[in-house]
Amino acid sequence: MSKHSNISVPSANVFSIDEVQRFRNETAGCSNVIHLNNAGAGLMPDVVTEAQLAHIKLESEIGGYEASARMADAITEFYTQASLLLNCKPSNIAFTSSATDSYTRALSAIPFVPGDIILTDNDDFVSNQIQFLSLQKRLGVKIIHINNSKEHGGVDLNDLEEKLKKYKPRLLAITHIPTNSGLVQPVLAIAEIYHAYRQSNPDNTWYILDACQSAGQLKLDVRELCCDFMSITARKFIRGPRGTGILYIADRALHAGLEPMFIDMRGAEWTTPNTYKQHPEAKRFEDWEFAYATVIGTSVAIKYCLAIGEVRIRQQIRYFSGLLRDGLYAIDKVRVLDIGPELGGLVTFTVEGSDPVLIVTELAKRKINVVPSYRAFGVIDFDAKGVQWAVRASPHYYNTTNEIEIFLEAVKDIIE
Ligand SMILES: Cc1ncc(COP(=O)(O)O)c(C=O)c1O
């Protein structure tokens, strides 16, 4: 059992040596670097790279519009794959250019009026929080934070229930796995509370779940999670291309007529000089123009992820992140910062008397990829922990135990 979570960590590798070797043979980057920055961007499998290159080549050979017309089936396949990933219909899926792009499209669709309340958690993603503050400035909405549980650090479920009833917020906004900590929020329990609340307040509140760091790392089922919107990117644990985002929009939101603030000619049809008609499906939230190579690359990446299976992926990541945390606990001057009812694949730590740039640069010299995080990435969380910075290491299923050991030895070496 981990010191800071009440869910036990697997005690051995989930994938066989042969399976891991196959994953690594299928990923060019594995022979160049020890990649522990999957929470930044995962290494793409070669099939994802090749699918994108093939499309760019086709565009150069026959023309961009002509290439997307010829590849129409592959493009449609993206919606099928994304719906399989999230357990919804293809008509609930919109393609965007990043998780933030997905999020702001959804946020812009919420019919806020002055005095409305946004109820959110203390570990919600930094850009979401800045956007709420911007809405506060422009529209006079109020932001209320749900307390963290004193016992485990994630959302205090009693406080959530009370605040939902007391404030009847226009928006409930939760981040599943924050960018700067190992915390995994208890989203199934949150879904139950939200679902029960909505029975007596059917129309007023919308729920957006930022699942940017959880997609590809653990199984997401929008029906169980009971969210109205979910924002993700493909470039992290799904191992898709950069410049990609997916937005799930529930039928409830589509049927209510919610639409992004700056709906374009993909999302709507201009019917008379003074009117337009919304697209009936989630494409209402898309733009006309896409980099279609990334749409196809995302589709291939999701298919690759689903073939391996998120249940096994989650277990393997928990095993590696458990090894990382245990190894880091044992190093003098290192403080592991992760606290939560369950800990995920983002391992964060700080080192007394050191500095993050030095650690990250020294690791990079050894071809080990990790990133620094700063207080501005999570003001509430960093202040509660009393730290200014952290280093984030985020393993994936294609890493090896040997790589984890090399990383731990390198950290020891750098600190000494
Ligand atoms: C929890 C979380 N949400 C949202 C985002 C934003 O994703 P993107 O950079 O694709 O906009 C990130 C990025 O790291 C994240 O960690």
Side-chain angles (χ1 to χ4, degrees), residues 39 98-101 125 175 177-179 210 212-213 233 235-236:
S98 68
T100 303
D101 188 22
F125 183 58
T175 291
I177 297 182
T179 205
D210 174 338
C212 180
Q213 290 292 0
T233 175
R235 78 169 183 280
K236 297 179 188 283

Side-chain angles (χ1 to χ4, degrees), residues 131-391:
Q131 284 141 13
F132 301 157
L133 290 167
S134 166
L135 283 174
Q136 177 174 273
K137 196 164 65 178
R138 280 169 187 252
L139 291 182
V141 303
K142 292 187 186 145
I143 305 159
I144 307 256
H145 286 96
I146 309 157
N147 293 341
N148 273 359
S149 155
K150 291 203 174 60
E151 192 193 332
H152 58 55
V155 160
D156 178 330
L157 298 170
N158 291 328
D159 194 53
L160 165 67
E161 199 169 358
E162 277 167 27
K163 285 184 172 150
L164 272 175
K165 287 184 190 149
K166 180 171 173 190
Y167 295 112
K168 300 193 181 339
R170 179 74 58 213
L171 181 69
L172 171 65
I174 300 287
T175 291
H176 193 176
I177 297 182
T179 205
N180 50 276
S181 110
L183 169 71
V184 182
Q185 292 285 14
V187 283
L188 288 178
I190 291 171
E192 250 179 64
I193 292 168
Y194 173 65
H195 182 71
Y197 163 79
R198 242 189 36 207
Q199 301 308 306
S200 45
N201 299 271
D203 299 324
N204 296 332
T205 304
W206 302 96
Y207 173 25
I208 181 162
L209 182 61
D210 174 338
C212 180
Q213 290 292 0
S214 42
Q217 182 179 165
L218 42 82
K219 180 86 198 113
L220 295 172
D221 180 335
V222 288
R223 287 166 213 252
E224 275 179 6
L225 293 165
C226 202
C227 51
D228 300 305
F229 297 93
M230 177 186 283
S231 57
I232 62 181
T233 175
R235 78 169 183 280
K236 297 179 188 283
F237 288 91
I238 297 173
R239 304 179 62 197
R242 293 199 70 173
T244 58
I246 300 172
L247 176 62
Y248 158 79
I249 305 123
D251 284 342
R252 172 176 181 247
L254 291 172
H255 294 160
L258 297 196
E259 65 183 35
M261 170 92 74
F262 298 111
I263 191 165
D264 88 348
M265 59 187 283
R266 159 100 70 185
E269 183 189 339
W270 194 19
T271 43
T272 74
N274 291 319
T275 56
Y276 64 86
K277 195 169 131 210
Q278 294 176 329
H279 194 296
E281 300 183 349
K283 287 194 174 67
R284 191 186 298 165
F285 284 75
E286 291 184 345
D287 278 344
W288 173 262
E289 175 57 9
F290 285 155
Y292 279 102
T294 63
V295 181
I296 294 169
T298 299
S299 175
V300 174
I302 298 174
K303 199 167 180 184
Y304 192 91
C305 167
L306 292 175
I308 293 168
E310 301 102 303
V311 172
R312 295 179 81 207
I313 292 173
R314 176 187 203 167
Q315 289 295 90
Q316 185 64 49
I317 290 176
R318 278 176 53 199
Y319 175 60
F320 282 146
S321 44
L323 286 185
L324 280 170
R325 289 190 186 101
D326 287 347
L328 288 164
Y329 285 131
I331 304 176
D332 200 27
K333 296 192 193 144
V334 170
R335 182 177 152 207
V336 178
L337 299 170
D338 306 326
I339 302 168
E342 177 187 345
L343 296 184
L346 280 63
V347 176
T348 59
F349 63 97
T350 190
V351 183
E352 194 191 311
S354 189
D355 106 79
V357 176
L358 171 88
I359 296 173
V360 171
T361 313
E362 283 299 319
L363 286 169
K365 282 186 199 159
R366 294 160 172 85
K367 300 197 170 168
I368 302 172
N369 297 342
V370 296
V371 290
S373 290
Y374 298 98
R375 176 180 174 271
F377 296 7
V379 169
I380 302 174
D381 181 44
F382 276 69
D383 285 355
K385 289 171 179 166
V387 291
Q388 290 295 320
W389 59 267
V391 173

Side-chain angles (χ1 to χ4, degrees), residues 26-100:
E26 291 173 354
T27 306
C30 284
S31 36
N32 303 324
V33 287
I34 296 181
H35 192 66
L36 297 173
N37 185 19
N38 291 283
L43 290 178
M44 287 185 288
D46 298 343
V47 280
V48 173
T49 315
E50 283 154 15
Q52 292 180 87
L53 291 175
H55 190 75
I56 292 170
K57 188 158 181 290
L58 187 64
E59 285 181 340
S60 77
E61 286 167 356
I62 66 167
Y65 282 47
E66 295 70 18
S68 57
R70 187 180 291 180
M71 296 301 285
D73 287 351
I75 290 163
T76 303
E77 183 63 17
F78 157 74
Y79 297 91
T80 307
Q81 290 302 324
S83 69
L84 292 171
L85 182 78
L86 303 181
N87 191 26
C88 61
K89 294 172 290 179
S91 58
N92 297 116
I93 297 293
F95 184 82
T96 70
S97 65
S98 68
T100 303

